[in-house]
Amino acid sequence: MNAFRSLFLLTPAALLLALLGSPLAMAQTTVAPQGMDHGAMQMQGGSAPADARDPHAYAGGTTLSSGPYALGPERSLFMGDEHSHGLFLADRLEAVRDGDSGATTGAYEFLARWGHDHNRLVLKAEGELAQGELEASSTEVLWSHAVAPYWDAQLGLRHDTAQGGQARNWLAMGIDGLAPYWFEVGLTAYLGEGGRTALGLSVEQDLLLTQRLVLQPRLEAEVHGRRDAVNGIGQGLSDATVGLRLRYEFSRQFAPYLGVEWAGHFGETADLRRAADEPVRETRALAGLRFWF
């Protein structure tokens, strides 16, 4: 019985030698594992030998916080969200041709921002030009604060001008961000002088047909809470614009485009435009340039 027990305790090499009849293997079978002295085993590690090299002997007294190469009390490394970044985007710089009248006008929409990921100063400007003159413009200066991943709350001021009308100032409060399925959404409420109110909505999406060819559907709408006959704006839904722009990106920063746009005025705003002999529905052809740096 002890012989069988010893056979099961053989190492694979000793078992092979035992099968071949080696005296060395037979000698291994006589060693009982129960008799091993674990206390005498030398484990890796432990105290360094007496002649071991001192790891600090060649440092010359230099440490992380002292010596000629010390970093000092000021931080030299920062996370990405601690740096300030700037951006200028010309989202629209285009010539617009009215399909009914055949008149050609210009339009622009610029965005500039500066700051950290969580807090930024944002400047938005858009307008229309006709016959070399600024026909209408809207400029916003906003403080933008990140409130959730991909979403910023914005607070600031807006200034509107209109040729033949009266300039208006507004307090702007809104939210801007990226909705599911990559919809870029902006929703802003405005409070103006004399209790005037307005609500603006913009939605757009970039659809990559190829790595360079991008189709951008776009929707804009504006609602006013009070009639402003001086500027040709009525109460309720005043206007909405739906457009498609197809751009070719020579690089991500430089892309010419072509497009088509449909614009409509509604409710009291449409009535005011009819009274002024101005069109209520417009179909426009577009050609422009989008760039950023």
Side-chain angles (χ1 to χ4, degrees):
M1 181 64 69
N2 291 334
F4 283 102
R5 183 181 301 168
S6 299
L7 182 62
F8 283 111
L9 296 174
L10 292 174
T11 63
L15 179 60
L16 178 61
L17 293 173
L19 294 175
L20 296 175
S22 170
L24 176 60
M26 297 305 295
Q28 288 187 10
T29 63
T30 63
V31 179
Q34 292 85 351
M36 295 179 65
D37 184 6
H38 295 280
M41 297 179 64
Q42 182 76 22
M43 303 301 293
Q44 184 177 3
S47 300
D51 58 347
R53 168 181 157 178
D54 180 6
H56 302 290
Y58 302 92
T62 299
T63 66
L64 186 64
S65 58
S66 64
Y69 303 106
L71 298 179
E74 296 183 1
R75 293 174 56 195
S76 58
L77 299 176
F78 297 87
M79 302 298 291
D81 60 356
E82 296 179 281
H83 289 276
S84 293
H85 303 278
L87 169 74
F88 175 81
L89 168 64
D91 198 23
R92 290 190 300 143
L93 185 60
E94 60 194 26
V96 182
R97 185 173 181 83
D98 191 298
D100 297 326
S101 65
T104 301
T105 59
Y108 66 87
E109 182 177 351
F110 300 147
L111 169 70
R113 67 187 185 203
W114 173 262
H116 299 275
D117 289 347
H118 295 91
N119 293 285
R120 295 171 177 164
L121 178 65
V122 177
L123 174 66
K124 299 179 181 179
E126 61 179 294
E128 300 177 359
L129 301 100
Q131 298 178 353
E133 296 183 1
L134 185 63
E135 191 172 62
S137 70
S138 176
T139 304
E140 298 181 55
V141 179
L142 306 167
W143 167 64
S144 182
H145 176 69
V147 293
Y150 307 108
W151 290 97
D152 292 348
Q154 297 182 334
L155 176 66
L157 300 173
R158 168 177 164 178
H159 178 71
D160 292 345
T161 64
Q163 189 178 45
Q166 186 174 349
R168 300 294 186 195
N169 295 311
W170 308 82
L171 174 66
M173 299 166 288
I175 190 166
D176 186 89
L178 191 64
Y181 302 101
W182 306 102
F183 285 96
E184 297 181 30
V185 179
L187 181 64
T188 309
Y190 301 98
L191 178 62
E193 302 161 314
R196 302 182 188 278
T197 57
L199 182 68
L201 170 68
S202 66
V203 181
E204 63 182 48
Q205 185 185 38
D206 285 349
L207 303 173
L208 272 69
L209 305 182
T210 70
Q211 288 297 316
R212 294 185 180 274
L213 200 60
V214 181
L215 180 65
Q216 184 191 64
R218 179 188 179 97
L219 166 67
E220 287 185 306
E222 196 164 68
V223 178
H224 286 262
R226 178 176 293 187
R227 182 186 178 98
D228 185 3
V230 175
N231 291 321
I233 298 173
Q235 185 178 10
L237 178 62
S238 59
D239 59 80
T241 304
V242 178
L244 282 174
R245 289 169 174 80
L246 181 66
R247 68 177 184 265
Y248 184 82
E249 295 185 340
F250 288 98
S251 71
R252 296 302 183 196
Q253 292 84 10
F254 183 83
Y257 63 84
L258 298 173
V260 62
E261 194 172 67
W262 176 85
H265 302 271
F266 307 93
E268 291 185 0
T269 303
D271 296 336
L272 292 171
R273 291 183 67 88
R274 291 190 188 97
D277 198 22
E278 295 181 356
V280 175
R281 305 286 187 270
E282 296 176 89
T283 302
R284 307 163 180 164
L286 314 170
L289 181 65
R290 182 182 190 270
F291 64 90
W292 62 270
F293 55 84

